[in-house]
């Protein structure tokens, strides 16, 4: 699930201004824990320019790119919740190590 954009109502968390229907935006799914120092980017929608200008924007985008690569590598033949959970624990282990490093 991803954050929803309501044009002329949604506020960019970085600049505090309303996102209009003409604005170029970027959105992220929930790829970090809210307590992470980059957690603001998780499950959020932003002006693209604000992310580009943010000192943490590139770092958040890099972590999201890693998360997405792991997610897109998931096998299509996982059937049980146990199989899915086991795959997730193994597949995301390195990602969570990177996330922990980025939080320090």
């Amino acid at each position: 699930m991803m954050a929803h954009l309501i044009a002329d109502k949604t506020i960019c968390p970085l600049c505090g201004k309303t996102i209009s229907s003409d604005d170029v935006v970027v959105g992220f799914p929930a790829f970090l824990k809210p307590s992470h120092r980059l957690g603001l980017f998780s499950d959020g929608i932003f002006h693209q320019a604000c992310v580009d200008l943010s000192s943490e924007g590139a770092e958040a985008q890099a972590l999201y790119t890693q998360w997405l690569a792991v997610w897109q590598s998931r096998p299509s033949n996982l059937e049980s919740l146990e199989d899915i959970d086991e795959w997730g624990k193994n597949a995301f282990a390195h990602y969570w190590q990177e996330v922990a490093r980025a939080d320090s």
Side-chain angles (χ1 to χ4, degrees), residues 21-42:
S21 58
D22 296 331
D23 292 335
V24 178
V25 299
V26 61
F28 299 98
F31 70 107
L32 294 169
K33 295 178 182 176
S35 59
H36 191 279
R37 72 177 181 80
L38 300 173
L40 171 73
F41 292 92
S42 190

Side-chain angles (χ1 to χ4, degrees), residues 19-68:
I19 298 174
S20 75
S21 58
D22 296 331
D23 292 335
V24 178
V25 299
V26 61
F28 299 98
F31 70 107
L32 294 169
K33 295 178 182 176
S35 59
H36 191 279
R37 72 177 181 80
L38 300 173
L40 171 73
F41 292 92
S42 190
D43 198 29
I45 296 177
F46 308 83
H47 293 111
Q48 179 70 60
C50 293
V51 173
D52 293 346
L53 293 172
S54 167
S55 60
E56 297 171 327
E59 194 175 357
Q61 286 183 329
L63 285 175
Y64 172 65
T65 299
Q66 289 179 28
W67 178 89
L68 187 60

